[in-house]
Amino acid sequence: MMALTVNGTQHRLEVAPETPLLWVLRDQLGLGGSKFGCGAGLCGACSVHVDGAVVRSCQMAVGDIGERAVVTIEAVQEQPGIADIAAAVVAAWVQAGVPQCGYCQPGFVMATIGSIATDRSQSREAVLGQLSNICRCGSYDAVREAVGITLDRLRHDAP
Ligand code: FES
Ligand code: FES
């Protein structure tokens, strides 16, 4: 039996410790927003936050998480300290019309929020430089636009 905190709720799971976090999120907890893309740490479709750090959940064994808090796309807009970033990213994604098939987008959004949360004053290029997610639909230009919109909005709204 293993304890795991996801989106503020502690779960007790009967699962082998080497099981990838993504499998637990999707198959045991019913959180389907984090996607399976490559399963090899390359595409970022499975990105979540673990104690605020962007993590590729297909590559993290659930037994290595310990007491750290996992946040997924389903609850990222409710997290203290980053809720405004999450709201700005989601709004910018809509404004820029980023999603095409949409499959990679939860991972892109989680990676972008995590990147901006490390330093709200960084440049668009700095944020984009931290995004290594892959989009089969080629939404990269729209992601670029949306990251710029997000940073502009956050700076405009800053006290
Ligand atoms: S599914 Fe995890 S990086 Fe591709
Ligand atoms: S929007 Fe289709 S894979 Fe990225």
Side-chain angles (χ1 to χ4, degrees), residues 25-79:
L25 295 174
R26 292 182 58 84
D27 296 342
Q28 303 224 356
L29 302 182
L31 296 169
S34 306
K35 303 302 186 193
F36 175 84
C38 64
L42 301 172
C43 73
C46 62
S47 297
V48 300
H49 296 174
V50 177
D51 267 3
V54 179
V55 164
R56 296 191 164 177
S57 61
C58 71
Q59 297 299 296
M60 174 161 277
V62 73
D64 291 340
I65 296 172
E67 296 183 355
R68 291 181 289 170
V70 177
V71 172
T72 71
I73 188 75
E74 285 86 353
V76 70
Q77 291 192 70
E78 299 154 18
Q79 299 308 307

Side-chain angles (χ1 to χ4, degrees), residues 88-109:
V89 168
V90 170
W93 246 243
V94 172
Q95 184 178 335
V98 180
Q100 295 184 49
C101 81
Y103 195 82
C104 71
Q105 296 300 322
F108 254 115
V109 166

